């Protein structure tokens, strides 16, 4: 088939045998983002799609032609500056390549293609290099004229032809930006000799294009930018300039800028910001105005002192900085891929949430704020972003992980290492501040854990505000070229059915000392990869920005003198902004945490009141809990549910998933499986299933509690009301008709919420009165309580509503028991003050005795984090006081009777 026929759109074509072999050999492995194909199809449905590529590349064209054929997309019938003779059989097309081409003839061919409704490919620019000049031209009388034998020009003339074609027809022409990224290596700020000869990485010439293609063809990324509707563009330009129509030259310039901007936007969303040399980065950080001002204030006028502090700052920077290396990221991904597949049965990703992050990254900087339950968290997002063709984030890691060989590996994968505390070294804090500001200014996505350290209990820890304050201050700094609206804070929930560190966590929960990470620990962790830890899932919350958070504060406190101008906030307002943002992030992480089979089964097992539970009863309990979670708008992992007919409908649980979770816990030793009638001790054939009975050994309850606590936040609001209603002393507060006084219930619920302020993440967007009223209304609507004409509350006496109330109370009962044990330990302070560590040990021993004596039911109540949180709450409530670094009883509680009163107040909720 003749190339003229192809270019004019007269007929379809198939690649000749040689080209077909090339397609099969080199392009078959190209992964295609579904969003790319959808965007092209949408453009074609609206009108005529024209593929726009940035710089002339035969490789890009061949890949585009192959993909359009493979996916049934609009096929290319014209490509500027390439000619399509290559599609002809070998030996026939080379003559057409030598035919003289003129700009006018090429534009006429493009017009014929568009008039016939076919697609074209248009390259906007030619790659600059010494070996491949950007245009072949000769000087004639002071003007530059393209050589008639080649006629290779940039895309301006063809865009003018597209404008003319659009004016002549009513069907819109859609220009769809296309970006092939053949290398994930970031652009370099400074060009070298290779760039001069073969074109820079971002504008590669032919030779460099082929080299990049051969080296990275298995990792190619294809993205489609937002299409430009040429008809709408013309209408907007004609009516947006006071009636004076711009010339075609001006229109072409504006259209080119729009297309190049969208192309670069897509490209940057894959490769990330340009990479700087280490020396340049060091210089920019150490010489930053804020850090220099800090050094001057510390050193005074002495030049020598300033120089010494400058060298110290540089040394600190070198110790902490990340050194992102795409080859190292790729190698780490390959190594982790094998290990993670052995550790986990699968990884479930919130694809819609990931797509939101990808779109946000095109217009701004991402601050990734994931939950932190395992060391696996450090690599999971980096791996996810790499496999999703997104720039890997720069991750703040504790300097306890900087040991060899793990430290250098993580550093090249994007980790920078900082101390757990900056106390006692103000210069160190200033260097961290300057480094993070520079990363933000350069456009890097940052990742750090608001909880500070890993949660040993499975639920979120209270947020630490240090790094978040640095980021917020940087955004509010209003530095040149920086906008607060372009920074997105991204809450992320990373959930595990079992964490790798489970054994060490249980050891710490029961009073053991934390073990320092080292090479031995790394090797021991590698051994655990031989086991199975269920499924891992990643969920993304709503993206937040500072303007949005400030708006929430203003709506709640309109008379507070707040200002909507982020740059003019007073220090107290800034602190309030940081605090609100932190708790909004934590609430959002809780909101999007997905229900896993392991968490659901663990919850059903631990809230069951009897010694064992049959498999049918376990399934029924899981169904009941799932119905409650649907009411809380919880997400469910795909492995747990079969289907959801409509949004908000009850999920259909996969009973196989419940068996799988029981099998997971059986292998871990967390449950015993019995079958009535089998000889005692004969467990070889006893597996989870319809005839099985499950028993949780006391020693395993803490392990299951870690899994259960993944969901506890969904029940907290109702549990704060259910506990007073179902408690022993709560029953005495009922009137003769069994109704609980509304005001008294509110008082006891608020007191319980204050007691648990360090234990749970309560809503940060409403007052207690609002939350209490909303929760009561929801509970009444669900048949869990009733209210009389006076508003007094009555517990549902039977049925599903009553069972739910009992479940809510049992969800948090062990926390109340743990606080009761901590309250009893206050008697040890009657003899004198104790250190925090010693008092925690006393409380743990007392809790152990109470459990063995049957005074408390739950083994998981005897937990060091619960005791520590209880002591913090007791300080806030005035039951404890800090004296010279120790804990002591204040004067009002310094008697045996007062201590028993404190314990009685806590125990009254049991």
């Amino acid at each position: 088939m003749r190339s003229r026929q192809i270019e004019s759109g007269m007929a379809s074509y198939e690649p000749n045998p040689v080209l077909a072999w090339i397609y099969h050999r080199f392009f078959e492995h190209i992964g295609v983002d579904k969003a790319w194909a959808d965007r092209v199809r949408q453009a074609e449905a609206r009108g005529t799609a024209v593929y726009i590529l940035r710089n002339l590349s035969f490789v890009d064209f061949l890949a585009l032609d192959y993909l359009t054929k493979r996916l049934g997309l609009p096929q290319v019938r014209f490509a500027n500056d390439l000619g399509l003779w290559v599609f002809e059989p070998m030996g026939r097309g080379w003559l057409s390549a030598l035919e003289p081409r003129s700009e006018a003839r090429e534009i006429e061919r493009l017009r014929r293609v568009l008039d016939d409704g076919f697609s074209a490919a248009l390259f906007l620019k030619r790659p600059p290099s010494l070996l491949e000049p950007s245009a072949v031209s000769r000087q004639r009388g002071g003007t530059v004229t393209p050589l008639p034998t080649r006629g290779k020009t940039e895309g301006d003339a063809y865009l003018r032809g597209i404008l003319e074609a659009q004016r002549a027809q009513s069907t819109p022409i859609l220009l769809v930006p296309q970006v092939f990224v053949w290398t994930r290596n970031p652009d370099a700020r400074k060009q070298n000799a290779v760039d001069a000869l073969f074109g820079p990485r971002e504008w590669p010439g032919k030779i460099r294009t082929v080299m990049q293609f051969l080296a990275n063809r298995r990792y190619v990324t294809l993205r489609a930018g937002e299409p430009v509707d040429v008809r709408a563009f013309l209408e907007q330009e004609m009516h947006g300039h006071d009636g004076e129509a711009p010339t075609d030259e001006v229109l072409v310039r504006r259209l080119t800028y729009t297309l190049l901007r969208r192309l670069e936007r897509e490209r940057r969303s894959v490769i990330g910001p340009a990479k700087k040399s280490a020396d340049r980065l060091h210089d920019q950080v150490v010489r930053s105005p804020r850090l220099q001002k800090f050094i001057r204030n510390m050193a005074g006028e002495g030049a020598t002192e300033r120089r010494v502090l400058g060298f110290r700052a540089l040394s600190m920077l070198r110790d902490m900085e990340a050194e992102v290396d795409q080859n190292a990221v790729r190698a780490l991904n390959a190594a982790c891929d094998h290990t993670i597949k052995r550790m986990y049965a699968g990884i479930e990703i919130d694809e819609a949430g990931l797509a939101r992050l990808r779109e946000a990254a095109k217009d701004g900087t991402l601050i990734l704020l994931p939950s932190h339950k395992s060391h696996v968290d450090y690599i999971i997002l980096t791996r996810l972003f790499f496999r999703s063709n997104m720039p890997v984030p720069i991750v703040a890691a504790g300097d306890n992980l900087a040991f060899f060989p793990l430290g250098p590996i993580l550093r090249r994968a994007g980790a920078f290492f900082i101390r757990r505390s900056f106390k006692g070294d103000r210069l160190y804090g200033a260097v961290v501040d300057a480094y993070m500001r520079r990363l933000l200014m350069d456009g890097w996505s940052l990742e750090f854990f608001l909880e500070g350290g890993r949660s040993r209990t499975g639920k979120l820890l209270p947020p630490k505000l240090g790094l978040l304050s640095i980021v917020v201050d940087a955004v509010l700094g209003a530095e040149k070229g920086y906008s607060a609206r372009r920074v997105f804070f991204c809450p992320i929930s990373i959930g595990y059915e079992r964490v790798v560190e489970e054994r060490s966590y249980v050891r710490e929960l029961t009073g053991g000392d934390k073990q320092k990470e080292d090479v031995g620990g790394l090797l021991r962790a590698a051994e655990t990869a031989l086991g199975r830890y269920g499924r891992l899932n990643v969920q993304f919350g709503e993206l937040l920005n500072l303007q949005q958070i400030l708006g929430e504060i203003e709506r709640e406190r309109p008379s507070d003198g707040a200002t909507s101008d982020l740059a003019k906030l007073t220090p107290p307002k800034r602190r309030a902004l940081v605090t609100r943002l932190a708790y909004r992030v934590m609430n959002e992480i809780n909101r999007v945490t997905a229900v896993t089979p392991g968490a659901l089964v663990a919850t059903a097992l631990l809230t069951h009141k009897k010694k064992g539970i049959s498999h049918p009863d376990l399934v029924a309990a899981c169904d009941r809990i799932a119905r409650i979670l649907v009411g809380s708008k919880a997400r469910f992992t795909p492995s747990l549910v079969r289907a959801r007919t409509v949004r908000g409908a009850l999920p259909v649980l996969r009973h196989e998933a419940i068996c799988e979770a029981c099998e997971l816990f059986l292998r871990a030793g967390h449950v015993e499986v019995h079958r009535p009638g089998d000889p005692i001790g004969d467990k070889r054939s006893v597996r989870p299933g319809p005839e099985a009975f499950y028993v949780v050994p006391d020693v395993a309850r803490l392990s299951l509690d870690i899994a259960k606590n993944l969901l506890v936040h969904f029940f907290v609001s109702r549990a704060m009301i259910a506990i007073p209603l179902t408690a022993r002393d709560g029953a005495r507060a009922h009137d003769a008709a069994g109704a609980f006084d509304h005001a008294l219930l509110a008082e006891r619920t608020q007191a319980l919420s204050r007691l648990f302020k360090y234990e749970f993440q309560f809503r940060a967007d409403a007052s207690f009165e609002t939350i209490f009223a909303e929760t009561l209304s929801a509970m009444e609507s669900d048949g869990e309580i009733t209210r009389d004409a006076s508003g007094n509350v009555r517990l549902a006496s039977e049925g599903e509503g009553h069972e739910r109330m009992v479940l809510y109370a049992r969800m948090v009962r062990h926390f109340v028991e743990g606080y009761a044990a901590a309250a009893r330990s206050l008697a040890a302070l009657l003899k004198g003050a104790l250190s925090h560590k010693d008092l925690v040990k006393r409380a743990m021993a007392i809790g152990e005795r109470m459990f063995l004596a049957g005074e408390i039911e739950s083994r998981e109540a005897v937990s060091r984090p619960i005791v520590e949180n209880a002591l913090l709450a007791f300080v806030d409530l005035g039951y404890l006081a800090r004296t010279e670094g120790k804990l002591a009883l204040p004067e009002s509680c310094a008697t045996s009777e007062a201590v028993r009163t404190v314990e009685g107040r806590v125990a009254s909720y049991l």
Side-chain angles (χ1 to χ4, degrees):
M1 183 178 295
R2 301 294 297 168
S3 61
R4 293 185 183 86
Q5 291 177 314
I6 298 170
E7 292 169 357
S8 66
M10 293 174 62
S12 184
Y13 59 89
E14 293 296 331
N16 61 51
V18 174
L19 194 59
W21 178 85
I22 293 175
Y23 280 174
H24 176 75
R25 178 70 176 81
F26 293 106
F27 298 116
E28 194 174 56
H29 299 287
I30 294 179
V32 178
D33 183 2
K34 184 177 180 294
W36 171 78
D38 289 345
R39 184 161 282 181
V40 174
R41 288 193 177 98
Q42 290 167 7
E44 180 66 11
R46 292 171 54 193
T48 301
V50 176
Y51 303 97
I52 302 294
L53 298 97
R54 188 171 65 161
N55 55 297
L56 185 65
S57 169
F58 206 83
V59 172
D60 286 7
F61 175 75
L62 292 179
L64 178 65
D65 183 66
Y66 168 74
L67 291 175
T68 55
K69 288 183 172 63
R70 191 179 89 181
L71 300 175
L73 299 174
Q75 295 184 15
V76 177
R77 303 302 177 88
F78 173 89
N80 62 307
D81 291 345
L82 288 178
L84 301 182
W85 58 269
V86 71
F87 292 106
E88 300 181 35
M90 183 61 68
R92 293 173 50 191
W94 66 273
L95 290 175
S96 64
L98 300 178
E99 294 177 2
R101 297 175 181 270
S102 68
E103 181 179 287
R105 290 181 62 187
E106 293 293 289
I107 293 175
E108 180 59 30
R109 288 171 177 165
L110 172 61
R111 287 288 305 273
R112 288 202 303 271
V113 167
L114 297 178
D115 290 344
D116 291 341
F118 292 103
S119 295
L122 179 61
F123 299 94
L124 295 180
K125 298 292 181 182
R126 297 211 45 190
S129 68
L130 293 178
L131 297 182
E132 303 166 21
S134 60
V136 181
S137 60
R138 64 164 59 99
Q139 196 79 9
R140 289 183 179 175
T143 62
V144 178
T145 305
L147 285 176
T149 56
R150 300 284 294 177
K152 292 189 176 180
T153 63
E154 295 192 339
D156 292 7
Y158 298 99
L159 285 178
R160 192 176 296 110
I162 289 176
L163 293 176
E164 294 171 356
Q166 182 63 82
R167 292 188 182 108
Q169 63 184 54
S170 59
T171 302
I173 298 174
L174 284 302
L175 307 182
V176 187
Q178 310 290 309
V179 179
F180 284 94
V181 182
W182 298 102
T183 174
R184 296 288 299 276
N185 293 324
D187 301 334
R189 292 280 186 182
K190 194 174 182 180
Q191 292 191 4
N192 53 33
V194 174
D195 297 329
L197 285 173
F198 304 108
R201 186 177 288 116
E202 62 269 32
W203 295 92
K206 292 179 182 178
I207 298 174
R208 189 163 197 165
T209 296
V210 173
M211 291 170 60
Q212 289 180 351
F213 162 67
L214 293 176
N216 301 282
R217 70 180 189 274
R218 292 181 182 272
Y219 304 98
V220 63
T221 303
L222 173 59
R223 291 280 176 83
E226 183 181 353
V228 175
D229 186 327
V230 179
R231 186 172 64 181
F233 172 81
L234 286 173
E235 292 175 355
Q236 178 182 352
E237 291 295 326
M238 291 304 174
H239 295 89
H241 300 277
D242 300 326
E244 183 179 346
T247 63
D248 276 4
E249 182 179 354
V250 173
L251 290 174
V252 167
R253 187 164 63 245
R254 290 174 182 167
L255 185 56
T256 301
Y257 172 78
T258 300
L259 291 169
L260 288 175
R261 187 172 179 275
R262 295 186 185 186
L263 286 163
E264 184 62 14
R265 181 173 177 260
E266 297 297 328
R267 185 173 173 277
R268 288 289 180 188
S269 71
V270 176
I271 66 170
K275 186 176 182 180
K276 296 177 179 176
S277 66
D279 290 341
R280 182 177 179 184
L281 178 63
H282 295 163
D283 185 70
Q284 288 181 333
V285 173
V286 175
R287 293 182 182 275
S288 62
R290 284 174 63 94
L291 184 55
Q292 283 297 306
K293 180 179 179 180
F294 182 87
I295 289 175
R296 286 195 301 271
N297 291 338
M298 283 191 69
E301 298 299 325
T304 302
E305 289 81 358
R306 291 184 187 180
R307 196 158 45 247
V308 170
L309 289 177
F311 281 123
R312 276 193 60 204
L314 180 60
S315 176
M316 292 173 177
L317 178 60
R318 286 172 173 163
D319 287 341
M320 77 172 65
E321 68 177 334
E323 300 173 1
V324 181
D325 183 332
Q326 287 299 322
N327 293 326
V329 173
R330 185 177 297 170
L332 182 64
N333 172 69
C336 291
D337 191 55
H338 177 68
T339 303
I340 286 176
K341 284 181 179 178
R342 297 176 67 192
M343 291 169 60
Y344 300 102
I347 300 179
E348 298 169 324
I349 306 297
D350 172 17
E351 295 293 347
L354 183 62
R356 289 197 304 271
L357 257 65
R358 183 183 290 118
E359 287 301 310
K362 297 174 183 178
D363 296 317
T365 301
L366 302 181
I367 309 298
L368 308 176
L369 302 170
S371 58
H372 194 21
K373 298 180 177 67
S374 170
H375 279 319
V376 178
D377 298 335
Y378 284 108
I379 61 173
I380 198 65
L381 287 184
T382 296
R383 179 179 181 271
L384 175 59
F385 274 46
F386 179 80
R387 295 170 70 90
S388 301
N389 295 315
M390 297 171 65
V392 297
I394 304 295
V395 185
D399 59 358
N400 59 312
L401 295 178
F403 61 85
F404 182 85
L406 182 62
I409 295 173
L410 294 179
R411 191 185 300 274
R412 284 164 176 75
F416 69 97
F417 300 100
I418 56 176
R419 302 172 190 169
R420 292 292 183 185
S421 174
F422 303 166
K423 291 181 179 178
D425 195 341
R426 294 167 55 211
L427 179 61
Y428 187 83
V431 173
V432 173
D433 177 88
Y435 179 57
M436 293 185 68
R437 284 174 180 269
R438 174 45 54 187
L439 293 174
L440 286 170
M441 288 291 291
D442 289 345
W444 288 98
S445 294
L446 294 183
E447 175 189 343
F448 58 90
F449 303 103
L450 266 185
E451 298 166 89
R454 290 169 293 162
S455 169
R456 269 66 174 171
T457 63
K459 60 186 179 65
L460 294 183
L461 301 175
K464 304 293 191 298
L465 305 183
L467 290 183
L468 186 65
S469 297
I470 290 175
V471 172
V472 171
D473 283 344
V475 176
L476 296 178
E479 299 181 55
K480 186 178 180 181
Y482 206 64
S483 169
R485 294 182 179 87
R486 294 182 61 251
V487 177
F488 301 96
F489 296 86
C490 315
I492 303 171
S493 171
I494 304 177
Y496 304 87
E497 291 191 270
R498 287 185 61 208
V499 291
V500 178
E501 302 94 334
E502 185 181 275
R503 289 185 180 180
S504 64
Y505 284 0
V506 170
R507 183 177 181 276
E508 292 177 38
L509 292 173
T510 53
D513 294 330
K514 178 184 176 182
Q515 295 181 337
K516 185 178 180 181
E517 285 82 1
D518 55 15
V519 177
L522 178 63
L523 294 176
R524 287 191 295 273
E527 292 176 1
T528 64
L530 298 174
R532 286 286 183 177
Y533 291 87
R535 288 179 173 84
L536 181 155
N537 75 88
V538 182
Q539 302 288 324
F540 300 95
E542 176 191 353
L543 300 179
L544 305 172
N545 61 66
L546 296 187
Q547 197 71 51
Q548 172 187 352
I549 301 301
L550 182 60
E552 292 180 4
I553 296 175
E554 288 180 348
R555 285 191 295 274
E556 291 178 16
R557 293 177 278 184
S559 60
D560 199 19
T563 174
S564 59
D565 189 347
L566 289 171
K568 297 180 180 179
L569 293 180
T570 61
K573 296 295 182 185
R574 288 192 180 200
R575 289 193 293 271
L577 182 65
V578 172
T579 302
R580 170 57 66 90
L581 174 62
Y583 281 96
R584 281 285 281 112
V585 167
M586 304 306 275
N587 291 161
E588 192 65 14
I589 291 174
N590 272 337
R591 184 185 71 83
V592 301
T593 295
V595 182
T596 66
L600 188 64
V601 169
T603 301
L605 290 171
L606 293 182
T607 55
H608 186 63
K609 293 177 288 186
K610 299 179 181 178
K611 177 69 174 176
I613 184 171
S614 68
H615 186 82
D617 287 344
L618 177 65
V619 172
C622 289
D623 281 330
R624 179 184 302 115
I625 296 169
R627 289 195 297 272
I628 296 172
L629 291 167
V630 168
S632 300
K633 300 180 180 179
R635 302 180 179 187
F636 291 79
T637 60
S639 59
L640 178 58
V641 296
R642 293 190 187 278
R644 229 183 229 193
T645 54
V646 294
R647 184 175 178 81
L650 291 178
V652 179
L653 298 184
R654 289 180 60 249
H655 291 176
E656 299 90 339
I658 295 176
C659 281
E660 291 166 4
C662 292
E663 183 72 33
L664 177 73
F665 293 143
L666 173 63
R667 288 185 301 185
H670 300 341
V671 297
E672 296 174 354
V673 181
H674 301 273
R675 189 168 59 190
D678 286 350
I680 295 177
D682 184 9
K683 300 181 180 180
R684 290 173 296 178
S685 61
V686 180
R687 312 308 307 172
E691 298 180 357
F693 271 76
Y694 306 103
V695 176
V696 180
D698 287 337
V699 294
R701 291 185 68 91
L702 275 166
S703 297
L704 288 182
D705 193 55
I706 294 174
K708 186 203 79 171
N709 281 339
L710 191 72
L711 307 181
V712 69
H713 58 276
F714 288 113
F715 300 87
V716 167
S717 293
R718 297 194 183 197
M720 295 299 101
I721 296 174
I723 286 178
L725 285 174
T726 59
R728 175 186 61 229
D729 285 2
R732 299 172 189 164
H734 290 80
D735 61 17
F740 202 112
D741 179 74
H742 180 275
L744 180 59
L745 179 61
E747 178 185 334
R748 286 182 61 78
T749 300
Q750 188 170 33
L752 187 61
S753 300
R754 288 171 176 166
L755 183 66
F756 285 147
K757 66 178 292 187
Y758 294 103
E759 203 68 60
F760 303 117
Q761 305 291 330
F762 295 102
R763 283 173 54 188
D765 60 343
S767 64
F768 167 80
E769 291 75 16
T770 300
I771 297 172
F772 181 73
E774 291 177 355
T775 306
L776 271 184
S777 296
M779 295 173 77
E780 184 178 23
S781 176
D782 290 339
E784 298 163 359
I785 61 170
T786 59
R787 287 189 280 187
D788 60 23
S790 301
N792 297 325
V793 181
R794 182 181 290 106
L795 181 72
S797 59
E798 58 183 4
E800 178 75 11
H802 181 80
E803 290 296 325
R804 286 188 173 202
M805 293 295 285
V806 172
L807 173 66
Y808 298 151
R810 294 195 66 81
M811 282 293 296
V812 298
R813 177 184 174 85
H814 70 282
F815 292 103
V816 182
E817 293 178 336
Y819 278 52
R824 184 173 295 186
S825 72
L826 299 184
L829 299 176
L830 293 171
K831 298 179 181 179
L834 290 173
S835 68
H836 179 271
K837 183 177 181 180
D838 288 339
L839 185 56
V840 170
K841 285 184 177 180
R842 295 281 185 96
M844 293 288 290
I846 289 172
E848 187 76 19
R849 286 196 295 270
M850 292 175 70
F851 171 71
L852 294 175
E855 294 184 70
I856 58 178
E857 297 179 3
S858 309
R859 178 65 183 83
E860 60 270 29
V862 189
S863 168
R864 185 164 66 180
I866 291 179
V867 170
E868 290 174 340
N869 287 336
L871 297 181
L872 289 173
F874 292 166
V875 171
D876 287 352
L877 294 171
Y879 304 156
L880 276 176
R882 299 184 188 277
T883 305
E884 298 179 353
K886 293 185 176 182
L887 294 174
L889 292 173
E891 187 176 345
S892 60
C893 295
T895 65
S896 298
E897 184 179 355
V899 170
R900 285 195 297 270
T901 299
V902 171
E903 181 184 350
R905 288 176 183 172
V906 177
S908 69
Y909 289 103
L910 291 173

